[in-house]
């Protein structure tokens, strides 16, 4: 199962935040919205959720070595 991740460093904000959230898409969106509201003072709006969803990336797969 593939997971998604969002890297807070790639979301423009004043806070120098280095948080990375990874999990299933719905989990990541929910956690990222809570985090953004709590730490970054964002508003939980449908538009903002869409922004977060767009910034999701596939979690890098660990290589087999
Ligand atoms: Zn953050």
């Amino acid at each position: 199962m593939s997971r998604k991740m969002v890297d807070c460093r790639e979301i423009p904000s004043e806070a120098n935040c280095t948080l990375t959230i990874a999990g299933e898409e719905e989990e990541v969106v929910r956690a990222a919205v809570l985090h953004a509201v709590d730490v970054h003072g964002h508003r939980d709006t449908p538009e903002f959720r869409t922004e977060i969803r767009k910034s999701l990336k596939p979690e890098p797969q660990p290589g087999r070595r």
Side-chain angles (χ1 to χ4, degrees):
M1 176 168 40
S2 73
R3 301 201 303 173
K4 306 279 183 167
M5 59 170 284
V6 60
D7 189 340
C8 213
R9 289 174 299 184
E10 297 181 0
I11 298 180
S13 67
E14 312 86 66
N16 244 346
C17 187
T18 60
L19 186 72
T20 300
I21 302 169
E24 288 182 47
E25 180 166 333
E26 291 309 315
E27 296 172 328
V28 174
V29 170
R30 181 192 286 188
V33 168
L34 286 177
H35 167 74
V37 170
D38 181 29
V39 177
H40 299 292
H42 282 286
R43 292 263 203 80
D44 181 359
T45 63
E47 291 76 25
F48 184 58
R49 285 172 180 258
T50 304
E51 285 301 306
I52 289 184
R53 218 174 275 273
K54 276 194 284 187
S55 66
L56 294 182
K57 294 183 304 191
E59 184 185 54
Q61 299 295 320
R64 276 171 197 247
R65 306 185 182 193

